[in-house]
Amino acid sequence: QFAKIIATASYTPDNVVTNDDLSQILDTNDEWIYSRTGIKERHISTGQDTSDLCIEVAKKMLDESGLDANDIDFIIVASMTPDYQSPSTACIVQGAIEAKNAWALDVSAACSGFVYALTVAEKMVGASNKRGMVIAGDVMSKAVDWSDRSTAVLFGDGAGGVILESSQEQHILSSNLYAQGEKANCLQSGKSPVTNPWVKSDSSSKENSLEKLSMDGRQIFSFVVGNVSKTIKDYSEQIDYYLLHQANARILDQVSKKIGQPREKFLQNIEKYGNTSSASVAILLDEAIKNEILTLGSGQQILLSAFGGGLTWGNILIKL
Ligand SMILES: O=C(O)C1CCN(c2ccc(-c3cc(CO)ccc3Cl)cn2)CC1
């Protein structure tokens, strides 16, 4: 038994924040942001949480596939900004679309989340002839420190997903997941304090809020160019398009050069969304299909590659 993608969808909040909008609240400007990241604007929630974005994606996928919610056997949500520790965001989605036959699981792998979740889901479908939703969503705007211009300008909010169904022929040809935990401190977000009557805390009273995102950009940048290039260059001959996590346009420049592949094969939409963390590859895939650059069932070979906090990274080779 294999798995194949039968539907894709994506959703971003209506509210668009341009680089010029940011220069009104931060000591930054369009020229710096665009030249260093490739970002022109991003979609920022005006109140929707991660589950709300994921529910929009789930509903779009049911509409487009003609499936009923009860046809879905599992829902996996990848996010580094879940609504709660509990319930899982996947459970909130399951309840909202009334997918009564679906079990629900959240996956936490930062910006690699969609690739990690798709790999897990493919194993589930292949092993048990089931149908599942894999949705990646992040409201990064609630995680970033809006007084830190080095990170606040980079991120955006969004969600994207696929429906996987069992299939006789193989479509997900290979997937590899990686982690490098000793670099865990390069990208941290959402630490919750340990508070209880027995904690020998110092005088400062630990407030209950989550810590804001902090990132060692330089470390991550060099980690990505080195490790991602090394693990994807062996696929080169057979790839029509590369769908890399949209963290920074310079990454696409450097990785394409490092593996000797045409830059045009590296799809890009960071200018419109910024870095939507786990959702970025899912949004890129859906847009490429909706724009007819990619077509399900065409036999086109694409490589999804995501990388980020953890540090994690992962690659999936798919024949559409
Ligand atoms: O040019 C400059 O001064 C700055 C230098 C630092 N920059 C960075 C650095 C790292 C990332 C990044 C983030 C993630 C997390 O999703 C994953 C992968 C990467 Cl490579 C994005 N931007 C922005 C421009």
Side-chain angles (χ1 to χ4, degrees):
Q1 282 299 359
F2 297 112
K4 73 176 174 202
I5 295 171
I6 60 159
T8 66
S10 59
Y11 175 83
T12 54
D14 295 338
N15 178 41
V16 172
V17 174
T18 65
N19 293 345
D20 288 335
D21 293 332
L22 290 180
S23 64
Q24 305 297 315
I25 60 168
L26 284 169
D27 178 14
T28 186
N29 62 68
D30 175 48
E31 198 282 326
W32 188 95
I33 299 170
Y34 184 65
S35 64
R36 310 292 281 260
T37 68
I39 302 166
K40 292 297 281 180
E41 60 192 36
R42 72 285 290 148
H43 294 241
I44 299 295
S45 169
T46 55
Q48 290 172 299
D49 207 341
T50 301
S51 62
D52 299 306
L53 310 190
C54 294
I55 289 163
E56 293 297 330
V57 171
K59 286 178 174 173
K60 277 186 177 181
M61 291 200 291
L62 289 177
D63 289 348
E64 287 177 27
S65 63
L67 289 170
D68 180 88
N70 288 324
D71 297 327
I72 304 300
D73 300 302
F74 65 85
I75 299 173
I76 299 179
V77 167
S79 183
M80 65 178 274
T81 55
D83 294 33
Y84 301 87
Q85 307 265 15
S86 180
S88 68
T89 302
C91 277
I92 299 172
V93 174
Q94 192 259 18
I97 67 170
E98 296 181 285
K100 292 189 171 31
N101 301 318
W103 50 265
L105 168 78
D106 275 12
V107 160
S108 173
C111 316
S112 309
F114 181 65
V115 165
Y116 265 61
L118 190 53
T119 298
V120 169
E122 190 254 343
K123 303 298 175 215
M124 297 310 295
V125 169
S128 60
N129 189 15
K130 299 288 184 189
R131 186 183 288 116
M133 279 185 177
V134 181
I135 305 171
D138 271 308
V139 176
M140 293 304 287
S141 60
K142 70 180 181 177
V144 301
D145 173 354
W146 285 98
S147 68
D148 173 8
R149 68 180 180 172
S150 71
T151 52
V153 303
L154 304 178
F155 295 96
D157 303 339
V162 299
I163 292 180
L164 273 192
E165 197 171 79
S166 67
S167 129
Q168 293 309 317
E169 65 278 346
Q170 190 175 14
H171 287 272
I172 296 178
L173 305 180
S174 92
S175 64
N176 293 289
L177 304 180
Y178 309 88
Q180 195 170 357
E182 75 249 30
K183 291 198 159 79
N185 60 2
C186 286
L187 196 157
Q188 298 183 317
S189 170
K191 171 91 176 63
S192 60
V194 176
T195 53
N196 67 49
W198 292 274
V199 169
K200 293 175 283 307
S201 58
D202 53 21
S203 53
S204 69
S205 67
K206 291 232 187 241
E207 52 182 281
N208 272 315
S209 66
L210 299 178
E211 285 181 12
K212 292 298 181 186
L213 181 143
S214 67
M215 181 177 86
D216 179 343
R218 215 161 303 288
Q219 267 251 43
I220 297 185
F221 208 103
S222 55
F223 157 85
V224 167
V225 172
N227 285 287
V228 171
S229 308
K230 190 169 60 188
T231 53
I232 69 173
K233 74 175 180 306
D234 297 343
Y235 292 106
S236 308
E237 294 67 46
Q238 49 192 320
I239 305 294
D240 296 311
Y241 289 100
Y242 293 86
L243 282 75
L244 265 59
H245 168 43
Q246 300 291 292
N248 186 303
R250 306 287 77 77
I251 287 283
L252 307 185
D253 299 341
Q254 295 197 25
V255 170
S256 55
K257 202 178 303 171
K258 219 163 162 60
I259 67 170
Q261 287 295 309
R263 176 66 168 78
E264 305 70 56
K265 284 191 173 186
F266 287 70
L267 300 187
Q268 177 178 328
N269 64 5
I270 193 170
E271 57 280 355
K272 295 191 293 183
Y273 300 112
N275 178 345
T276 54
S277 188
S278 65
S280 84
V281 171
I283 294 169
L284 193 63
L285 175 63
D286 179 53
E287 283 203 335
I289 286 171
K290 297 299 189 307
N291 296 340
E292 300 182 344
I293 296 168
L294 298 177
T295 307
L296 294 177
S298 65
Q300 287 166 304
Q301 300 218 156
I302 62 174
L303 186 72
L304 308 188
S305 181
F307 32 85
L311 293 179
T312 57
W313 74 108
N315 307 311
I316 302 182
L317 177 64
I318 300 176
K319 178 161 67 77
L320 291 177

